[in-house]
PDB file of all heavy atoms in Angstrom:
ATOM      1  N   VAL A 293     186.499 -31.838 172.335  1.00  0.00           N
ATOM      2  CA  VAL A 293     186.391 -33.230 171.936  1.00  0.00           C
ATOM      3  C   VAL A 293     185.028 -33.409 171.173  1.00  0.00           C
ATOM      4  O   VAL A 293     184.029 -32.865 171.593  1.00  0.00           O
ATOM      5  CB  VAL A 293     186.390 -34.194 173.116  1.00  0.00           C
ATOM      6  CG1 VAL A 293     186.311 -35.647 172.611  1.00  0.00           C
ATOM      7  CG2 VAL A 293     187.728 -34.027 173.882  1.00  0.00           C
ATOM      8  N   ASN A 294     185.086 -34.109 170.045  1.00  0.00           N
ATOM      9  CA  ASN A 294     183.838 -34.271 169.248  1.00  0.00           C
ATOM     10  C   ASN A 294     183.293 -35.709 169.508  1.00  0.00           C
ATOM     11  O   ASN A 294     184.036 -36.698 169.522  1.00  0.00           O
ATOM     12  CB  ASN A 294     184.182 -34.160 167.764  1.00  0.00           C
ATOM     13  CG  ASN A 294     182.959 -34.212 166.945  1.00  0.00           C
ATOM     14  OD1 ASN A 294     182.439 -35.295 166.609  1.00  0.00           O
ATOM     15  ND2 ASN A 294     182.463 -33.081 166.509  1.00  0.00           N
ATOM     16  N   ASP A 295     182.008 -35.753 169.800  1.00  0.00           N
ATOM     17  CA  ASP A 295     181.357 -37.025 170.166  1.00  0.00           C
ATOM     18  C   ASP A 295     181.422 -38.035 168.976  1.00  0.00           C
ATOM     19  O   ASP A 295     181.546 -39.269 169.214  1.00  0.00           O
ATOM     20  CB  ASP A 295     179.870 -36.799 170.527  1.00  0.00           C
ATOM     21  CG  ASP A 295     179.319 -38.002 171.228  1.00  0.00           C
ATOM     22  OD1 ASP A 295     180.054 -38.616 172.028  1.00  0.00           O
ATOM     23  OD2 ASP A 295     178.146 -38.377 171.011  1.00  0.00           O
ATOM     24  N   LYS A 296     181.401 -37.537 167.730  1.00  0.00           N
ATOM     25  CA  LYS A 296     181.493 -38.449 166.603  1.00  0.00           C
ATOM     26  C   LYS A 296     182.792 -39.180 166.618  1.00  0.00           C
ATOM     27  O   LYS A 296     182.869 -40.401 166.386  1.00  0.00           O
ATOM     28  CB  LYS A 296     181.315 -37.662 165.305  1.00  0.00           C
ATOM     29  CG  LYS A 296     181.373 -38.494 164.034  1.00  0.00           C
ATOM     30  CD  LYS A 296     181.271 -37.637 162.781  1.00  0.00           C
ATOM     31  CE  LYS A 296     181.439 -38.489 161.494  1.00  0.00           C
ATOM     32  NZ  LYS A 296     181.468 -37.660 160.256  1.00  0.00           N
ATOM     33  N   ASP A 297     183.856 -38.474 166.943  1.00  0.00           N
ATOM     34  CA  ASP A 297     185.229 -39.066 167.014  1.00  0.00           C
ATOM     35  C   ASP A 297     185.257 -40.120 168.147  1.00  0.00           C
ATOM     36  O   ASP A 297     185.871 -41.163 168.003  1.00  0.00           O
ATOM     37  CB  ASP A 297     186.281 -38.023 167.253  1.00  0.00           C
ATOM     38  CG  ASP A 297     186.397 -37.080 166.087  1.00  0.00           C
ATOM     39  OD1 ASP A 297     186.070 -37.474 164.963  1.00  0.00           O
ATOM     40  OD2 ASP A 297     186.836 -35.880 166.324  1.00  0.00           O
ATOM     41  N   PHE A 298     184.594 -39.823 169.251  1.00  0.00           N
ATOM     42  CA  PHE A 298     184.582 -40.752 170.401  1.00  0.00           C
ATOM     43  C   PHE A 298     183.874 -41.979 170.019  1.00  0.00           C
ATOM     44  O   PHE A 298     184.271 -43.108 170.333  1.00  0.00           O
ATOM     45  CB  PHE A 298     183.941 -40.032 171.621  1.00  0.00           C
ATOM     46  CG  PHE A 298     184.077 -40.828 172.874  1.00  0.00           C
ATOM     47  CD1 PHE A 298     185.176 -40.589 173.757  1.00  0.00           C
ATOM     48  CD2 PHE A 298     183.104 -41.784 173.249  1.00  0.00           C
ATOM     49  CE1 PHE A 298     185.289 -41.323 174.905  1.00  0.00           C
ATOM     50  CE2 PHE A 298     183.245 -42.484 174.432  1.00  0.00           C
ATOM     51  CZ  PHE A 298     184.354 -42.227 175.287  1.00  0.00           C
ATOM     52  N   LYS A 299     182.693 -41.798 169.392  1.00  0.00           N
ATOM     53  CA  LYS A 299     181.868 -42.987 168.955  1.00  0.00           C
ATOM     54  C   LYS A 299     182.661 -43.857 167.935  1.00  0.00           C
ATOM     55  O   LYS A 299     182.589 -45.085 168.039  1.00  0.00           O
ATOM     56  CB  LYS A 299     180.575 -42.568 168.334  1.00  0.00           C
ATOM     57  CG  LYS A 299     179.567 -42.006 169.268  1.00  0.00           C
ATOM     58  CD  LYS A 299     178.345 -41.489 168.539  1.00  0.00           C
ATOM     59  CE  LYS A 299     177.287 -40.862 169.464  1.00  0.00           C
ATOM     60  NZ  LYS A 299     176.180 -40.266 168.694  1.00  0.00           N
ATOM     61  N   GLU A 300     183.358 -43.224 167.010  1.00  0.00           N
ATOM     62  CA  GLU A 300     184.143 -44.010 166.049  1.00  0.00           C
ATOM     63  C   GLU A 300     185.230 -44.826 166.722  1.00  0.00           C
ATOM     64  O   GLU A 300     185.515 -45.953 166.291  1.00  0.00           O
ATOM     65  CB  GLU A 300     184.787 -43.069 165.040  1.00  0.00           C
ATOM     66  CG  GLU A 300     183.828 -42.517 163.953  1.00  0.00           C
ATOM     67  CD  GLU A 300     184.424 -41.606 162.971  1.00  0.00           C
ATOM     68  OE1 GLU A 300     185.710 -41.427 163.018  1.00  0.00           O
ATOM     69  OE2 GLU A 300     183.750 -41.085 162.105  1.00  0.00           O
ATOM     70  N   GLU A 304     180.504 -45.907 171.614  1.00  0.00           N
ATOM     71  CA  GLU A 304     179.536 -45.332 172.491  1.00  0.00           C
ATOM     72  C   GLU A 304     179.687 -43.827 172.516  1.00  0.00           C
ATOM     73  O   GLU A 304     180.734 -43.292 172.142  1.00  0.00           O
ATOM     74  CB  GLU A 304     179.694 -45.868 173.901  1.00  0.00           C
ATOM     75  CG  GLU A 304     179.384 -47.334 174.063  1.00  0.00           C
ATOM     76  CD  GLU A 304     179.507 -47.751 175.501  1.00  0.00           C
ATOM     77  OE1 GLU A 304     178.431 -47.684 176.275  1.00  0.00           O
ATOM     78  OE2 GLU A 304     180.616 -48.223 175.970  1.00  0.00           O
ATOM     79  N   SER A 305     178.694 -43.167 172.973  1.00  0.00           N
ATOM     80  CA  SER A 305     178.748 -41.706 173.112  1.00  0.00           C
ATOM     81  C   SER A 305     179.467 -41.284 174.394  1.00  0.00           C
ATOM     82  O   SER A 305     179.242 -41.889 175.493  1.00  0.00           O
ATOM     83  CB  SER A 305     177.330 -41.133 173.110  1.00  0.00           C
ATOM     84  OG  SER A 305     177.339 -39.739 173.484  1.00  0.00           O
ATOM     85  N   MET A 306     180.298 -40.231 174.305  1.00  0.00           N
ATOM     86  CA  MET A 306     180.976 -39.782 175.462  1.00  0.00           C
ATOM     87  C   MET A 306     179.999 -39.145 176.502  1.00  0.00           C
ATOM     88  O   MET A 306     180.123 -39.181 177.737  1.00  0.00           O
ATOM     89  CB  MET A 306     182.036 -38.718 175.194  1.00  0.00           C
ATOM     90  CG  MET A 306     181.528 -37.461 174.563  1.00  0.00           C
ATOM     91  SD  MET A 306     182.820 -36.383 174.010  1.00  0.00           S
ATOM     92  CE  MET A 306     181.925 -34.955 173.283  1.00  0.00           C
ATOM     93  N   PHE A 307     178.804 -38.693 175.898  1.00  0.00           N
ATOM     94  CA  PHE A 307     177.806 -38.119 176.777  1.00  0.00           C
ATOM     95  C   PHE A 307     177.031 -39.163 177.611  1.00  0.00           C
ATOM     96  O   PHE A 307     176.363 -38.841 178.561  1.00  0.00           O
ATOM     97  CB  PHE A 307     176.748 -37.297 175.971  1.00  0.00           C
ATOM     98  CG  PHE A 307     177.381 -36.090 175.312  1.00  0.00           C
ATOM     99  CD1 PHE A 307     177.705 -36.057 173.951  1.00  0.00           C
ATOM    100  CD2 PHE A 307     177.736 -34.975 176.101  1.00  0.00           C
ATOM    101  CE1 PHE A 307     178.274 -34.935 173.378  1.00  0.00           C
ATOM    102  CE2 PHE A 307     178.320 -33.882 175.514  1.00  0.00           C
ATOM    103  CZ  PHE A 307     178.570 -33.872 174.132  1.00  0.00           C
ATOM    104  N   GLU A 328     177.899 -31.337 168.825  1.00  0.00           N
ATOM    105  CA  GLU A 328     178.542 -32.607 169.276  1.00  0.00           C
ATOM    106  C   GLU A 328     179.878 -32.378 169.966  1.00  0.00           C
ATOM    107  O   GLU A 328     180.575 -33.337 170.357  1.00  0.00           O
ATOM    108  CB  GLU A 328     178.742 -33.525 168.068  1.00  0.00           C
ATOM    109  CG  GLU A 328     177.490 -34.093 167.476  1.00  0.00           C
ATOM    110  CD  GLU A 328     177.786 -35.300 166.513  1.00  0.00           C
ATOM    111  OE1 GLU A 328     178.750 -35.191 165.805  1.00  0.00           O
ATOM    112  OE2 GLU A 328     177.007 -36.238 166.585  1.00  0.00           O
ATOM    113  N   ASN A 329     180.272 -31.119 170.102  1.00  0.00           N
ATOM    114  CA  ASN A 329     181.562 -30.802 170.714  1.00  0.00           C
ATOM    115  C   ASN A 329     181.431 -30.541 172.237  1.00  0.00           C
ATOM    116  O   ASN A 329     180.398 -29.909 172.654  1.00  0.00           O
ATOM    117  CB  ASN A 329     182.194 -29.619 170.022  1.00  0.00           C
ATOM    118  CG  ASN A 329     183.148 -30.065 168.927  1.00  0.00           C
ATOM    119  OD1 ASN A 329     182.815 -30.942 168.223  1.00  0.00           O
ATOM    120  ND2 ASN A 329     184.242 -29.308 168.781  1.00  0.00           N
ATOM    121  N   LEU A 330     182.449 -30.902 172.956  1.00  0.00           N
ATOM    122  CA  LEU A 330     182.512 -30.559 174.392  1.00  0.00           C
ATOM    123  C   LEU A 330     183.833 -29.825 174.635  1.00  0.00           C
ATOM    124  O   LEU A 330     184.902 -30.317 174.159  1.00  0.00           O
ATOM    125  CB  LEU A 330     182.481 -31.830 175.231  1.00  0.00           C
ATOM    126  CG  LEU A 330     182.501 -31.632 176.746  1.00  0.00           C
ATOM    127  CD1 LEU A 330     181.133 -31.100 177.218  1.00  0.00           C
ATOM    128  CD2 LEU A 330     182.719 -32.992 177.472  1.00  0.00           C
TER     129      LEU A 330
END
Side-chain angles (χ1 to χ4, degrees):
V293 181
N294 187 280
D295 194 40
K296 181 182 176 185
D297 296 334
F298 190 92
K299 285 176 182 173
E300 284 180 3
E304 293 184 87
S305 169
M306 64 186 179
F307 294 105
E328 289 196 322
N329 268 36
L330 183 72

